[in-house]
Amino acid sequence: RSKQWYQRRVRDSKELLDLSEQFVMVNAENEEAPSDDSTFNIDGGYIPRIIFLDSTGAVRPEFTNKNRPDKYSYFYPSAGEIVQSMESVLESMKSKQEL
């Protein structure tokens, strides 16, 4: 259900689609998420959420939805909010030459 909800919100975003070419994107269904690994249980176990990792596979917890000051920091209700975080990730990685 959450997958369909997300698809409806982001499928028409050309900007998100263009930016996605610079990321490796993985969709894990709820039962596929590594629940026994605390690395991925940052900020709780709610879905849907987007977590950014660096080129070594390390979680980058500082990249959150800056528009959500509540405890659901990795929830993005709109494509525009995802784009904002993607741009922040790219900017940070380029400055550190991690891309």
Side-chain angles (χ1 to χ4, degrees):
R1 180 170 130 150
S2 63
K3 181 179 175 181
Q4 293 169 347
W5 179 87
Y6 241 66
Q7 287 175 339
R8 284 194 307 269
R9 290 199 164 39
V10 302
R11 69 176 165 219
D12 295 328
S13 174
K14 180 170 175 10
E15 191 173 15
L16 182 100
L17 181 61
D18 290 344
L19 281 171
S20 70
E21 293 178 11
Q22 299 180 60
F23 290 83
V24 175
M25 300 176 76
V26 177
N27 179 41
E29 298 293 332
N30 190 33
E31 62 278 354
E32 298 170 332
S35 60
D36 59 341
D37 187 343
S38 63
T39 304
F40 297 100
N41 282 330
I42 52 176
D43 198 34
Y46 57 91
I47 56 170
R49 60 193 170 140
I50 296 175
I51 300 171
F52 291 95
L53 289 74
D54 65 18
S55 59
T56 69
V59 171
R60 298 294 299 266
E62 71 272 26
F63 296 113
T64 62
N65 184 348
K66 303 301 183 204
N67 297 311
R68 293 197 62 93
D70 62 7
K71 66 179 184 171
Y72 303 111
S73 303
Y74 300 91
F75 174 67
Y76 293 81
S78 73
E81 291 171 330
I82 299 169
V83 165
Q84 285 177 339
S85 284
M86 291 172 89
E87 289 172 341
S88 293
V89 169
L90 289 173
E91 174 119 359
S92 174
M93 298 298 132
K94 284 179 184 174
S95 68
K96 295 178 183 179
Q97 297 188 8
E98 292 184 38
L99 292 176

